[in-house]
Amino acid sequence: WLQFAATAGTVKLAGALGMIDVDPFEWSKVKYFAIYVLAFSGGTWSNMKVLMEANVETVIVFRACAPLAVSGFDYIFHRRALPSLRSSL
């Protein structure tokens, strides 16, 4: 949160000094960015927790298998085609 607050403060200061143009704060735009920030922070936190309990090799294998799970979920929930044999080589 400190990095996020420091960045926001720097942008606000640069805007006040006339160094950059800063758009006004609009909640309709910020709420989508806030979801991204929370998701990214949650992913980083969960990665650190996994690394506390498991070794690095386990994390690497899990991340390498994630695209397989995503393609399966795309097939089930979005009715997309499964990867072809050529794309899996």
Side-chain angles (χ1 to χ4, degrees), residues 1-9:
W1 293 109
L2 180 61
Q3 181 182 8
F4 185 68
T7 302

Side-chain angles (χ1 to χ4, degrees), residues 28-41:
S28 61
K29 293 179 182 178
V30 173
K31 66 182 175 183
Y32 296 111
F33 184 68
I35 292 170
Y36 168 76
V37 169
L38 290 173
F40 182 81
S41 298

Side-chain angles (χ1 to χ4, degrees), residues 10-62:
T10 302
V11 169
K12 190 159 184 84
L13 178 65
L17 295 174
M19 298 170 68
I20 59 173
D21 293 328
V22 180
D23 292 336
F25 184 85
E26 296 178 30
W27 179 248
S28 61
K29 293 179 182 178
V30 173
K31 66 182 175 183
Y32 296 111
F33 184 68
I35 292 170
Y36 168 76
V37 169
L38 290 173
F40 182 81
S41 298
T44 303
W45 178 81
S46 64
N47 189 44
M48 289 188 303
K49 295 300 278 183
V50 167
L51 285 171
M52 288 172 62
E53 300 296 328
N55 57 18
V56 176
E57 290 83 8
T58 303
V59 175
I60 292 171
V61 169
F62 178 76

Side-chain angles (χ1 to χ4, degrees), residues 58-74 83:
T58 303
V59 175
I60 292 171
V61 169
F62 178 76
R63 285 189 176 180
C65 292
L68 297 173
V70 170
S71 66
F73 289 139
D74 280 346

